[in-house]
Amino acid sequence: MKLTGKVWKFPQHDISTGLIRRQMYNHLPPQEQGKHCMEALDPSFASKVAPGDFIVAGTNFGCGSSTPAHYSIAALGIPAIIAESFGALFFSNCAGGALWPVACPGILDLVETGDTLEIDTDTLVVRNVGSARSLQGRALPEIYRGMILAGGEKPYLRERLRREAAG
Amino acid sequence: MAGMHALHKIIANRTRPSLAKVSPGEFVEIEPDVFGVIVGVNASDVKRLAADLEELGIDRIPLRDRIYAVADHASPAPTVAIAGAQKAFREFFKAHGIRTFDGGAGVSHLVLCEEGLVRPGMLGIAIDSHAPTMGAIGMYACSLGGGRLTLYAIGRYVIEVPKVTLVRVTGTLPPGVAGRDASLYVNGKLGQRGAYNHAVEFAGSFIESLSMDMRFTFTNMGTEMGAVASYIQPDRTTLEWVRQRTSEPFTVFETDADYVYDTVHEVDVSGIGPQIAVPHAPDDVRPVDEVAGRKVDQAYIGSCASGRLEDMAETARVLKGRKVHPDVRLIVTPGSREVLKAATELGYIQVMHEANAIVTSANCGACPGLHGGILGPGDVAITSITRNFEGRMGPGGEIYLASPATVAASAIAGCITNPLAA
Ligand code: SF4
């Protein structure tokens, strides 16, 4: 499957879950959290971004606490995050939330905000449509891929339990 | 082929389907030996979990015999809302046959180790960022990220096999300088990212000389170096301690002689004095003398970093025959009921009462800022807790981290004080 969308680039490194979605919004319903996505770094982000767009980020995106900050990203209809690298807890939270976390060293040099990016979710090759340059993203563990394709942790488990019951 | 680290052998042992070898960077599916959970503070959290399990048709949780719930945060409940949440959690655990330790048992990592429910060679996952503390007994213990529902529903979890950083600590401490001082010193040297996303192993002659109490302090503070797991290779001290607590069998895994560590740090603690981490970073560590004289409003001894019997002994030694300064509240929260009982029998608690300290039941206490010593704006606290991030014990409070002896000496003087000079 290929995903194509516009890039919003946050070139900073070490963007913590608390900066992605401030802890004070943790109690809001997941859909509501979208309004506050990335507001600590760009207060107008939620109003500019469109469903299908991507976030591109530096190293260690989503470091810090395991708070489900990915809700705020998913709520905006963003299907994938492409970063130089990810914080481990955030990475696993993304998979459970059906968001593609694509670790892709070199991505900051590949694209700028406004560029169009294409992700092949089978191979995790990401391509800057304008320049036609591409990079290989890091392979995802099978279970995470399964969760994302199924639409999240719960639908994945439903399928897996059905499969295992069928033997 | 390069050898394997003991931690990698522990992980490989729990992979499903079973793998003979795992390598750093690989993601593997495992079945944990133990899953530690907490009696939470948000009722909607457990209601959602129960509804999700019901929707998936799970009425018998596969790991139910190896899940342990501990009411350590905000327990006994400080508010009506939290009391309601804890009730909902307890009912959920009871319905599923999950053993629950209620408020007063102590901090989860310490309770699981003391009860012999975790043992060397095991793999444990716990809902708490200081789960790596349990690595002091020679197990792989990490904090839960995403995947809680998967663990409850099918008993599986995904681990990214970590690289291992070795911290070799050598030297001997001058009299009156504590294990916690050495631990703070090491955190200061390595920094908050010193073992980021790695597992950290503590070794060397200094670590070997430590009691289990102080080993827990070291593995606990691995979290403040960004480590996903902490480890100390079991030796005589470990095995004696574990065998006093359980007759269940366990396996000690050894690191192969040809294993190559990703990073190695050497730290010599010879001749260091009492150390202190100043607001607001656990790695902003200095000699206590640099900030001596700073007035404090609250002094707090406890937490999973420094709530053990040796910490209670140090506290009592400093407090004996003295009184807490009238402008200061000194709160002591033992790490577990075992510690509280032993400290009572040994007379330490009586010494604390004589000194006008406030002694509480065993739990997380004031450490997470939920009850039992919340700071008000402008309050300055000297504590033995794990981290001094801004606002942790209450918005607007300032937190210094030090050894129990330094905290106790400062409580008496009313200002930050080097216990060797007091
Ligand atoms: S004592 Fe503090 S650091 Fe330890 S588990 Fe409790 S809240 Fe966390």
Side-chain angles (χ1 to χ4, degrees):
Chain A
M1 180 176 64
K2 291 212 165 113
L3 300 172
T4 309
K6 201 167 94 178
V7 166
W8 296 91
K9 184 164 153 181
F10 292 86
Q12 301 93 324
H13 300 305
D14 301 322
I15 294 175
S16 68
T17 46
L19 290 174
I20 294 171
R21 189 271 284 127
R22 287 194 175 110
Q23 194 60 25
M24 63 198 266
Y25 303 121
N26 193 13
H27 67 285
L28 292 179
Q31 273 307 320
E32 283 291 297
Q33 295 188 16
K35 291 184 195 141
H36 305 287
C37 182
M38 306 302 273
E39 78 178 13
L41 299 165
D42 178 357
S44 61
F45 178 69
S47 60
K48 295 185 295 201
V49 68
D53 290 355
F54 302 131
I55 286 176
V56 164
T59 53
N60 215 10
F61 186 70
C63 57
S65 112
S66 67
T67 186
H70 64 287
Y71 287 163
S72 69
I73 297 174
L76 295 172
I78 294 170
I81 303 156
I82 309 93
E84 294 282 334
S85 65
F86 287 88
L89 302 179
F90 179 77
F91 189 74
S92 62
N93 271 326
C94 282
L99 255 173
W100 292 95
V102 185
C104 186
I107 188 67
L108 287 183
D109 292 331
L110 189 81
V111 288
E112 296 302 330
T113 292
D115 287 354
T116 302
L117 190 72
E118 181 193 85
I119 305 171
D120 183 325
T121 57
D122 299 322
T123 60
L124 295 180
V125 168
V126 300
R127 193 168 69 91
N128 180 333
V129 174
S131 71
R133 278 169 56 219
S134 63
L135 284 171
Q136 176 66 56
R138 218 180 136 197
L140 277 167
E142 224 21 70
I143 187 168
Y144 288 169
R145 168 175 288 279
M147 281 182 188
I148 300 165
L149 290 173
E153 188 177 11
K154 194 165 40 160
Y156 164 80
L157 287 169
R158 198 182 295 123
E159 275 179 26
R160 180 162 165 172
L161 286 162
R162 196 182 298 135
R163 217 171 42 234
E164 285 172 7
Chain B
M1 193 160 68
M4 277 169 85
H5 192 276
L7 287 169
H8 298 151
K9 293 181 186 177
I10 295 172
I11 294 171
N13 185 43
R14 300 306 303 176
T15 49
R16 300 290 182 271
S18 187
L19 302 170
K21 186 172 169 63
V22 299
S23 309
E26 202 181 328
F27 288 88
V28 293
E29 190 168 320
I30 57 98
E31 183 184 310
D33 290 291
V34 167
F35 177 27
V37 298
I38 57 174
V39 176
V41 298
N42 186 338
S44 63
D45 189 32
V46 70
K47 284 184 184 141
R48 194 173 343 110
L49 174 63
D52 285 347
L53 288 172
E54 196 178 322
E55 196 185 321
L56 292 171
I58 309 285
D59 31 53
R60 278 163 70 84
I61 293 170
L63 295 181
R64 63 192 173 284
D65 297 336
R66 305 181 230 161
I67 303 178
Y68 302 104
V70 184
D72 53 6
H73 291 62
S75 199
T79 66
V80 175
I82 291 178
Q86 293 182 344
K87 187 172 189 337
F89 269 94
R90 278 196 298 267
E91 283 166 1
F92 170 80
F93 294 135
K94 186 148 194 228
H96 286 283
I98 291 166
R99 183 167 170 199
T100 304
F101 292 88
D102 224 319
V107 184
S108 62
H109 341 297
L110 303 182
V111 173
L112 296 186
C113 292
E114 285 175 353
E115 297 285 323
L117 298 171
V118 291
R119 299 181 282 280
M122 279 187 161
L123 193 160
I125 298 163
I127 303 185
D128 191 278
S129 54
H130 291 89
T133 309
M134 299 187 285
I137 62 165
M139 66 179 290
Y140 184 91
C142 64
S143 310
L144 180 82
R148 182 178 70 157
L149 184 58
T150 310
L151 256 174
Y152 271 112
I154 61 170
R156 297 294 169 81
Y157 188 64
V158 176
I159 283 182
E160 181 175 3
V161 180
K163 293 177 177 167
V164 186
T165 287
L166 176 68
V167 181
R168 202 180 286 120
V169 190
T170 53
T172 47
L173 297 177
V177 180
R180 182 68 197 264
D181 293 308
S183 165
L184 282 162
Y185 184 77
V186 170
N187 278 77
K189 284 273 171 252
L190 266 80
Q192 283 187 64
R193 297 189 158 272
Y196 190 73
N197 271 347
H198 286 199
V200 61
E201 177 182 350
F202 297 100
S205 58
F206 178 76
I207 300 294
E208 287 159 20
S209 75
L210 291 176
S211 65
M212 284 309 291
D213 282 3
M214 289 301 121
R215 292 184 187 193
F216 283 112
T217 300
F218 266 85
T219 50
N220 175 277
M221 292 298 284
T223 299
E224 307 318 322
M225 301 169 186
V228 293
S230 301
Y231 186 75
I232 295 175
Q233 184 63 38
D235 61 7
R236 279 238 320 270
T237 306
T238 325
L239 299 181
E240 265 169 35
W241 194 91
V242 172
R243 290 213 173 100
Q244 274 169 20
R245 288 167 169 78
T246 176
S247 50
E248 295 285 329
F250 54 84
T251 314
V252 172
F253 291 89
E254 305 274 350
T255 298
D256 293 331
D258 58 343
Y259 175 73
V260 183
Y261 285 90
D262 193 76
T263 316
V264 179
H265 296 276
E266 309 274 352
V267 184
D268 183 353
V269 295
S270 300
I272 65 164
Q275 304 286 309
I276 193 163
V278 304
H280 300 283
D283 60 352
D284 195 349
V285 176
R286 305 153 187 216
V288 168
D289 291 330
E290 270 189 35
V291 285
R294 175 103 166 93
K295 289 237 174 313
V296 297
D297 302 286
Q298 179 166 304
Y300 179 79
I301 293 166
S303 91
C304 53
S306 296
R308 308 212 48 94
L309 188 59
E310 215 171 302
D311 300 304
M312 299 299 119
E314 280 294 287
T315 303
R317 183 180 59 77
V318 176
L319 291 181
K320 197 165 175 72
R322 293 154 145 170
K323 298 276 184 218
V324 171
H325 192 280
D327 296 341
V328 177
R329 45 196 191 268
L330 167 63
I331 303 163
V332 182
T333 300
S336 70
R337 182 171 280 131
E338 179 184 302
V339 170
L340 178 52
K341 282 197 293 196
T344 305
E345 271 163 32
L346 291 163
Y348 304 152
I349 301 296
Q350 185 59 26
V351 171
M352 295 174 197
H353 288 315
E354 296 295 342
N356 294 336
I358 303 161
V359 182
T360 77
S361 56
N363 44 50
C364 291
C367 176
L370 293 168
H371 76 151
I374 296 176
L375 299 182
D379 267 346
V380 176
I382 181 156
T383 79
S384 73
I385 69 169
T386 52
R387 37 172 68 149
N388 55 350
F389 299 143
E390 195 163 0
R392 175 170 177 89
M393 294 175 82
E398 276 184 36
I399 308 169
Y400 290 82
L401 306 178
S403 75
T406 302
V407 176
S410 305
I412 294 163
C415 59
I416 294 176
T417 299
N418 182 336
L420 297 181

